[in-house]
Amino acid sequence: QVQLVESGGGLVQPGGSLRLSCAASGSIFSIYGMSWHRQAPGKERELVATITSGGRTNYVDSVKGRFTISRDNAKNTGYLQMNSLKPEDTAVYYCASGPVWGQGTQVTVSP
């Protein structure tokens, strides 16, 4: 059973940057690609960014130009580079690949 473990969350000021990592225990990204999702308090989980097994990326409009999804197949690790962070980006961020989800990492954007 492949597992995903996110890291890199934390507290950052508006305008700051964070890079989230998603470490997989097996070579799952080359099969399913991967995605990042987030869930803010009181809101539904939303899809933030995806990268296909072929490397094609897609983003929700609210993060376009600020977030970048990538992956390193050799390291079985995916990333979400988040720049120009806003308070509305505050959420628990989850990575997923196929049927497998990570446990989430908290991102808080606050002065």
Side-chain angles (χ1 to χ4, degrees):
Q1 177 75 21
V2 175
Q3 293 183 327
L4 302 178
V5 179
E6 301 97 334
S7 61
L11 174 64
V12 64
Q13 292 185 343
S17 298
L18 283 175
R19 188 176 80 155
L20 305 183
S21 298
C22 175
S25 58
S27 301
I28 193 172
F29 297 151
S30 60
I31 299 173
Y32 295 109
M34 67 166 293
S35 56
W36 287 94
H37 306 251
R38 66 186 178 186
Q39 187 166 20
K43 296 187 176 181
E44 294 186 353
R45 189 174 297 187
E46 70 167 341
L47 176 61
V48 176
T50 61
I51 183 166
T52 67
S53 58
R56 178 174 294 183
T57 60
N58 197 25
Y59 302 90
V60 67
D61 285 347
S62 60
V63 308
K64 283 181 180 177
R66 300 188 298 123
F67 290 11
T68 303
I69 188 172
S70 63
R71 69 173 193 269
D72 184 333
N73 287 341
K75 296 182 178 180
N76 291 328
T77 302
Y79 305 97
L80 185 68
Q81 177 67 43
M82 306 186 295
N83 299 328
S84 302
L85 282 161
K86 304 175 181 180
E88 50 264 43
D89 295 317
T90 295
V92 178
Y93 283 72
Y94 302 87
C95 65
S97 182
V100 185
W101 286 74
Q103 83 289 349
T105 185
Q106 176 70 46
V107 171
T108 303
V109 185
S110 179

